[in-house]
Amino acid sequence: VQYVTLVLRGVNAQTPTGYMEAPLSYSTIEDLQLLSWDNAPKYCVQLSFPGGTILLQAANSYLRDQWFHSIQWKKKIYKYRKVLNNPSRWDVVLKEIRALVDMALTSPLQDESIHQAPLHIISTLLAENTNLSAQDHENIIVAIAPLLENNHPPPDLCEFFCKHCRERPRSMVVIEVFTPVVQRILKHNMDFGKCPRLRLFTQEYILALNELNAGMEVVKKFIHSMHGPTGQCPHPRVLPNLVAVCLAAIYSCYEEFINSRDNSPSLKEIRNGCQQQSERKPPMPLRLLRPEPPTPPPTTTLSPPPALPLSPPPSIVNSSEILVELERNNNTTNTLCKAPAEGDSEPNLIDCLLVSPALNALSIQLPAHADRVLGCFALILKMLSDYDDWRPALASLLQPIPFPKESLFFYFCNRELKYVIQRFAEDPRQEVHSCLLSVRSGKDGWFQLYSPGGVACDDDGELFASMVHILMGSCYKTKKFLLSLAENKLGPCMLLALRGNQTMVEILCLMLEYNIIENKDTQLQIISTLESTQVGLRMYEQLCDRQRELKELQRKGGPTRLTLPSKSTDADLARLLSSGSFGNLENLSLAFTNVTSACAEQLIKLPSLKQLNLWSTQFGDAGLRLLSEHLACLQVLNLCETPVTDAGLLSLSSIKSLCSLNMNSTKLTADTYEDLKAKLPNLKEVDVRYTEAW
């Protein structure tokens, strides 16, 4: 179209008659046709104007047809834009819209603007005529539906669709027309940062589905249709787009909550120019419903019982009043939660709830719209977590906690997402449950939030215990993980162990076994905690037995070199090491045996071990991680023909004493090899034959 415009402006110097003296507008074209009679100029297009005729000659028939259809399309677009800019009768307008859509669909031209231009014309028409009836809205939407099958709606049209979803959520147009449009949005690469109205339209569509009679059942069927009937979703962009839509909707509830609390203008108000205090609604109060006090039982004494102070009836208070109420009901926390002085920042509400026992029992009621939106999209996140193939990516997307921590709304979001976190904690795959930990040091993760005393913990630590159980059962059974628990969560671990939680009892025993706790008083307190329950006492006695065996094993004496027969197993190695003292053992060969990573539990008990041969065994990554934390004096390690990968080999970088390392015929990559060479300064002999690094 641009090229034809240049031709009509007379820039094409290759025409037989030369330059045109003045440009000619598309609106002045009366007729347009291809020359087809005998002896006609070859590859020409004839344009008829009021003052004459112009022939455009192309180099070939393909270029001539491009000119013809482009000029014809441009001429019709000008015509429809003129007709629809000044509508008089809406029945005629609807007829013209259908003709415009048919013209765009039947055009042989292949260009994005062929379909987008009619959508922009219709969106301008709707923006300039806001007094249309609901039936007119539906007729227009049905008329342009064919164009939306393969094209995203422009921003103004998205605004119109959002309005229709809000005002008529039960309209059949929502199901029949909007469903394929939203499905197309979710299945394609979508930058919602550049196209926020597409995201808003998707949100309003889902909320409209939620307003139907079946409610969330309809939403659930929609999510299932996006995933597909198979176990693997064929569209990789569906999950990230759905998560982006859900998180944005939940965050909009947070924004509404903060704006209603602080009476500050929202982004929508700023866009609409409503920034003055007088132009906005009065602040929406935060409703705090106090539980009724228990009724005292009737007494048989003659004297009346002393009058108990009754709690006031349910009242509505603002955020600043909560601090005053806190001081009146809980005098012991006056120094922690005071009314804000002039110039000081107001303490956030969640801090007050955590400090004050008097307010912990309060149930907080969000505005009706925010509560509806929050419940709908939180439930969608729960649905997403039920699909096995989506769970790893969902855990990764939610690992950096996406909600603002400085607000009370953070408290509600985490409560709503507890089911999702439980699904992560139950998944045996490492890429899923490892996302429970913080994304980086210094930033809380879900593991910290759901620990006893955490913001979102409401179950006395049951979810926290299940997280610890799955993490300990995976590759996190390491000193590093135990050290972090001892430094940050020792109190919650001891509390749950005191209540008989077996996972926490095992954690405390491991802390004692690996000498994680150095303080003697803390060690005695842990021992007292273990002895207070039957399961703890039994496991502590087993620990004492292992410690006695360990002392006997590590007692100086015994051989300095040991070779196990081929086909030996983990049980054979354990039985052999339990038969005497091996404190002098420096060289151990397990080559061509059937040992696995499980034997690492026995190997770390050998304090003098310097040379270890694991050639052609089933020793894997989990065993390497354990060795790297406990065998700091290891100098020679043979991993030839073992199933180790980069994940386990990278952990060897902590054994600075290694001087000989055989990784022949393993899954070593070049990047890992370079990383090991840089981090192991004493490494002199390396065998990487038959690997990627060779």
Side-chain angles (χ1 to χ4, degrees):
V1 175
Q2 293 175 351
Y3 183 74
V4 175
T5 304
L6 295 176
V7 172
L8 290 181
R9 288 182 176 276
V11 182
N12 189 1
Q14 297 179 0
T15 53
T17 56
Y19 291 94
M20 291 185 291
E21 295 181 356
L24 300 173
S25 64
Y26 287 102
S27 59
T28 59
I29 299 177
E30 294 179 343
D31 189 25
L32 172 69
Q33 60 182 346
L34 299 173
L35 298 186
S36 58
W37 65 81
D38 294 339
N39 300 324
K42 200 173 184 181
Y43 309 134
C44 281
V45 178
Q46 177 178 303
L47 305 179
S48 299
F49 293 90
T53 301
I54 294 179
L55 296 181
L56 299 179
Q57 188 172 23
N60 50 59
S61 59
Y62 177 77
L63 184 59
R64 178 202 61 190
D65 292 342
Q66 275 191 322
W67 287 358
F68 174 76
H69 292 294
S70 298
I71 297 173
Q72 189 179 54
W73 179 84
K74 195 76 172 180
K75 182 175 181 295
K76 290 182 179 179
I77 281 293
Y78 277 131
K79 168 202 166 186
Y80 286 116
R81 182 175 287 119
K82 181 179 180 181
V83 171
L84 296 177
N85 274 346
N86 299 300
S88 56
R89 295 172 50 193
W90 280 103
D91 54 343
V92 176
V93 168
L94 190 60
K95 182 179 178 181
E96 293 293 336
I97 289 176
R98 293 194 181 105
L100 173 61
V101 171
D102 290 340
M103 184 268 294
L105 293 176
T106 56
S107 174
L109 299 174
Q110 300 294 324
D111 190 85
E112 184 180 358
S113 62
I114 301 300
H115 292 154
Q116 287 296 327
L119 291 176
H120 281 288
I121 292 175
I122 296 170
S123 63
T124 303
L125 170 69
L126 295 173
E128 294 176 353
N129 298 270
T130 57
N131 57 347
L132 296 178
S133 65
Q135 188 60 44
D136 290 333
H137 284 178
E138 293 199 359
N139 291 337
I140 293 175
I141 293 172
V142 172
I144 65 176
L147 280 181
L148 298 174
E149 291 180 0
N150 297 309
N151 299 275
H152 296 317
D156 291 341
L157 204 56
C158 285
E159 195 75 26
F160 172 72
F161 289 168
C162 290
K163 180 181 178 183
H164 188 82
C165 288
R166 287 191 297 267
E167 294 179 353
R168 303 197 67 188
R170 297 174 179 268
S171 168
M172 289 305 297
V173 169
V174 174
I175 300 294
E176 296 178 356
V177 178
F178 290 166
T179 297
V181 178
V182 174
Q183 287 177 336
R184 187 178 187 278
I185 291 173
L186 293 175
K187 289 179 180 178
H188 288 73
N189 288 327
M190 192 57 56
D191 187 353
F192 286 130
K194 294 181 180 179
C195 308
R197 294 189 182 180
L198 287 177
R199 186 192 65 226
L200 290 174
F201 168 49
T202 307
Q203 293 174 7
E204 294 294 343
Y205 166 79
I206 293 175
L207 290 175
L209 294 184
N210 193 34
E211 291 295 325
L212 299 178
N213 291 336
M216 287 308 299
E217 286 298 321
V218 181
V219 177
K220 187 174 182 179
K221 290 181 180 179
F222 172 74
I223 299 298
H224 182 71
S225 70
M226 296 306 304
H227 179 275
T230 62
Q232 192 75 22
C233 179
H235 306 287
R237 291 301 308 171
V238 168
L239 177 66
N241 287 337
L242 275 173
V243 173
V245 168
C246 291
L247 295 183
I250 293 174
Y251 192 86
S252 68
C253 296
Y254 158 70
E255 184 191 30
E256 179 180 344
F257 171 78
I258 293 299
N259 294 334
S260 64
R261 187 192 72 175
D262 299 337
N263 199 22
S264 57
S266 64
L267 293 177
K268 184 176 181 180
E269 290 176 327
I270 292 174
R271 285 196 299 266
N272 295 335
C274 176
Q275 300 184 23
Q276 301 297 326
Q277 185 78 10
S278 59
E279 297 179 12
R280 287 184 274 111
K281 298 179 180 180
M284 184 178 295
L286 176 69
R287 184 181 296 273
L288 297 183
L289 301 179
R290 297 177 176 83
E292 294 294 334
T295 305
T299 178
T300 57
T301 58
L302 296 178
S303 58
L308 296 176
L310 298 178
S311 298
S315 59
I316 300 178
V317 295
N318 290 324
S319 59
S320 59
E321 295 174 347
I322 291 179
L323 302 176
V324 179
E325 186 70 18
L326 176 62
E327 290 187 353
R328 185 171 68 243
N329 288 342
N330 188 12
N331 294 328
T332 61
T333 58
N334 284 340
T335 59
L336 296 176
C337 291
K338 296 182 180 180
E342 186 175 355
D344 294 339
S345 61
E346 179 182 347
N348 58 61
L349 300 182
I350 189 61
D351 290 339
C352 298
L353 283 179
L354 290 178
V355 170
S356 172
L359 289 178
N360 276 341
L362 297 179
S363 60
I364 300 156
Q365 181 177 338
L366 288 174
H369 173 71
D371 186 62
R372 179 173 63 91
V373 173
L374 176 61
C376 176
F377 288 98
L379 191 56
I380 290 178
L381 290 176
K382 297 177 185 178
M383 296 177 191
L384 300 181
S385 68
D386 287 332
Y387 290 94
D388 290 339
D389 59 317
W390 275 352
R391 203 174 300 132
L394 179 62
S396 178
L397 290 170
L398 295 181
Q399 184 178 15
I401 300 174
F403 307 116
K405 185 178 179 181
E406 64 275 4
S407 70
L408 179 62
F409 197 75
F410 180 75
Y411 176 76
F412 293 105
C413 293
N414 295 331
R415 289 288 184 88
E416 289 290 338
L417 291 182
K418 183 177 179 180
Y419 176 82
V420 179
I421 306 305
Q422 283 177 328
R423 298 292 288 164
F424 295 164
E426 295 168 357
D427 198 299
R429 291 171 291 184
Q430 178 188 340
E431 63 268 27
V432 177
H433 58 247
S434 63
C435 293
L436 297 171
L437 301 174
S438 57
V439 68
R440 61 179 181 272
S441 60
K443 181 178 175 62
D444 287 346
W446 300 109
F447 182 73
Q448 286 78 19
L449 295 182
Y450 284 96
S451 63
V455 174
C457 181
D458 62 348
D459 57 1
D460 294 330
E462 292 182 7
L463 178 56
F464 173 73
S466 64
M467 290 184 190
V468 174
H469 178 75
I470 192 68
L471 292 172
M472 288 296 294
S474 181
C475 63
Y476 291 95
K477 194 173 183 180
T478 61
K479 277 188 175 180
K480 184 177 179 181
F481 183 63
L482 292 173
L483 279 170
S484 66
L485 285 179
E487 292 175 359
N488 304 311
K489 300 297 177 184
L490 182 57
C493 290
M494 293 177 64
L495 176 62
L496 292 173
L498 192 63
R499 295 173 179 174
N501 187 280
Q502 187 169 350
T503 300
M504 293 307 166
V505 170
E506 181 183 356
I507 290 291
L508 295 183
C509 289
L510 286 173
M511 288 181 180
L512 294 176
E513 185 174 2
Y514 293 160
N515 295 321
I516 301 296
I517 306 297
E518 297 180 356
N519 186 279
K520 296 297 182 182
D521 292 336
T522 307
Q523 291 179 2
L524 293 175
Q525 187 177 354
I526 291 177
I527 293 173
S528 300
T529 302
L530 292 173
E531 292 177 339
S532 62
T533 62
Q534 291 183 353
V535 61
L537 180 60
R538 184 179 68 254
M539 296 186 70
Y540 178 63
E541 290 174 349
Q542 294 173 357
L543 170 62
C544 293
D545 293 338
R546 291 198 305 272
Q547 292 290 74
R548 284 191 291 269
E549 294 174 359
L550 179 61
K551 289 181 180 180
E552 177 63 24
L553 171 67
Q554 295 179 344
R555 186 169 56 85
K556 292 298 181 181
T560 59
R561 301 173 62 89
L562 182 64
T563 300
L564 254 66
S566 61
K567 308 301 180 182
S568 298
T569 63
D570 296 330
D572 297 328
L573 176 63
R575 192 178 301 110
L576 176 63
L577 293 181
S578 64
S579 63
S581 300
F582 292 89
N584 292 337
L585 186 61
E586 296 181 356
N587 189 322
L588 176 61
S589 176
L590 302 176
F592 304 104
T593 63
N594 294 332
V595 298
T596 65
S597 294
C599 75
E601 295 281 354
Q602 305 298 327
L603 298 178
I604 62 176
K605 299 175 182 178
L606 302 172
S608 303
L609 191 62
K610 296 180 180 179
Q611 301 181 27
L612 179 60
N613 188 351
L614 295 169
W615 188 1
S616 190
T617 63
Q618 295 303 310
F619 198 87
D621 294 336
L624 282 184
R625 293 190 186 97
L626 200 55
L627 294 184
S628 64
E629 287 201 339
H630 294 272
L631 297 183
C633 299
L634 196 63
Q635 298 177 1
V636 179
L637 180 60
N638 188 345
L639 297 172
C640 180
E641 297 181 6
T642 57
V644 295
T645 65
D646 287 346
L649 292 170
L650 281 173
S651 64
L652 296 178
S653 60
S654 62
I655 309 179
K656 303 301 181 182
S657 60
L658 268 180
C659 57
S660 176
L661 182 58
N662 189 339
M663 297 175 285
N664 187 322
S665 303
T666 64
K667 297 179 181 179
L668 172 73
T669 63
D671 292 340
T672 300
Y673 177 49
E674 295 299 327
D675 189 65
L676 286 175
K677 287 196 301 182
K679 294 181 179 179
L680 295 175
N682 297 321
L683 196 60
K684 301 295 189 300
E685 299 178 5
V686 184
D687 188 350
V688 294
R689 290 175 296 172
Y690 307 107
T691 67
E692 182 185 310
W694 189 26

